[in-house]
Amino acid sequence: MQKEQDREAIYRSIFFCDMDRKKADEIINRLDGRTVNYDKGEIIIREREKLNNIGILLDGVLCKVQYYRDGTEQLVQKLVSSFVVGVEIAVSEKKTSPYDVYASEQAHIFWFPVRAMEEEGVLDLRERIEFYKKAVHFLANEDIRKYRKIELLSIRGIRERIEQYLRIQQSRHKSNAFDIEFNREQMANYLGINRSVLSHELKKMEKEGILKVRKNHFELADKE
């Protein structure tokens, strides 16, 4: 039996967010999934590992990362409650992960077999089509997100890259004041720059009146 807050996290996920609760409960029970607990720092998915399940993050925070030969970690994405895990791997032909995922704090994930979508038996045809539609929408959004990151990393100037990232967050939150999902180290990692360089540049930008910053809260000055 799942806890109420776990069910709420599943209801908010892309597969169930538009579904009637009674119908959602029926499908969740049929999926015969399992909840797995992960400790802080524990590897959940390894690069080149096969994955035949799709996860829904119930609570905690996950980091999707890639490692370079010199051991440098590049943060690809930070995942929070209700986010789906491993969809693009599990529905691919080879089902092989191109990245690592680890728990940056204690986390719980509800896993269900991808064969529930791929094969007859667990879901009826209409339900399987609906799940595939949701997966396509998710993958399309992920593709757009990756394009934006590539565009961001292609900016050579450190300040210009920071400003562009913050303007994207401003647009996303529809406000000059907003919280970002990263701490300073994660933000530097995501932007592909040294943490000390990022901190130094933010202090300079604050001194110049471009922004105000306190931990992960930013406030951008209006452009003249």
Side-chain angles (χ1 to χ4, degrees):
M1 179 68 68
Q2 290 170 329
K3 295 183 290 187
E4 185 177 345
Q5 60 264 36
D6 289 349
R7 277 288 168 127
E8 288 297 326
I10 295 174
Y11 294 149
R12 293 193 303 270
S13 73
I14 192 167
F15 289 113
F16 297 97
C17 61
D18 297 326
M19 195 178 295
D20 173 81
R21 293 290 176 91
K22 185 176 179 180
K23 180 67 174 179
D25 284 336
E26 180 192 341
I27 290 178
I28 292 167
N29 292 335
R30 271 191 278 141
L31 287 175
D32 195 27
R34 72 190 194 284
T35 298
V36 181
N37 303 329
Y38 297 93
D39 293 327
K40 180 179 179 179
E42 187 172 351
I43 301 293
I44 296 166
I45 301 172
R46 294 184 184 276
E47 186 177 357
R48 300 189 185 91
E49 184 176 75
K50 294 274 188 180
L51 185 67
N52 293 296
N53 297 290
I54 293 172
I56 298 174
L57 181 57
L58 304 178
D59 59 41
V61 177
L62 310 182
C63 288
K64 184 190 295 185
V65 299
Q66 289 181 310
Y67 293 100
Y68 298 112
R69 290 184 179 180
D70 63 359
T72 304
E73 178 185 298
Q74 174 67 55
L75 179 63
V76 177
Q77 192 176 16
K78 188 175 179 179
L79 312 184
V80 295
S81 178
S82 296
F83 208 91
V84 290
V85 184
V87 175
E88 65 271 43
I89 305 168
V91 300
S92 69
E93 183 178 0
K94 294 185 177 180
K95 302 186 187 304
T96 304
S97 177
Y99 51 72
D100 285 27
V101 176
Y102 68 85
S104 63
E105 59 182 59
Q106 190 176 53
H108 304 83
I109 302 176
F110 173 74
W111 294 100
F112 66 89
V114 70
R115 67 173 182 272
M117 292 170 54
E118 298 174 331
E119 303 171 3
E120 297 179 359
V122 177
L123 303 176
D124 63 34
L125 180 59
R126 181 177 295 179
E127 292 165 344
R128 288 168 60 205
I129 290 173
E130 191 60 31
F131 263 57
Y132 267 110
K133 281 182 180 178
K134 296 289 188 178
V136 168
H137 292 163
F138 170 81
L139 295 174
N141 289 335
E142 282 296 283
D143 198 45
I144 292 169
R145 184 192 60 79
K146 289 173 186 175
Y147 171 79
R148 287 176 177 164
K149 183 172 182 183
I150 291 170
E151 187 178 39
L152 186 66
L153 294 179
S154 68
I155 299 172
R156 292 190 176 185
I158 297 299
R159 174 169 295 201
E160 290 78 9
R161 193 181 301 177
I162 296 169
E163 285 184 331
Q164 178 63 16
Y165 170 75
L166 294 176
R167 293 298 174 190
I168 290 172
Q169 300 307 309
Q170 178 188 40
S171 175
R172 176 184 168 193
H173 291 88
K174 296 181 174 60
S175 173
N176 285 2
F178 51 83
D179 292 337
I180 66 170
E181 58 186 335
F182 302 134
N183 61 34
R184 199 68 77 243
E185 183 175 359
Q186 291 169 337
M187 181 180 177
N189 194 328
Y190 184 81
L191 294 175
I193 58 181
N194 184 277
R195 178 179 175 176
S196 60
V197 172
L198 172 64
S199 296
H200 177 70
E201 197 62 43
L202 288 175
K203 286 178 182 177
K204 285 175 61 178
M205 293 168 72
E206 189 166 25
K207 189 175 181 180
E208 294 169 22
I210 297 172
L211 55 76
K212 293 179 182 179
V213 57
R214 182 174 176 79
K215 295 185 177 180
N216 68 331
H217 181 78
F218 288 79
E219 185 174 344
L220 303 185
D222 291 321
K223 282 189 173 182
E224 295 182 0

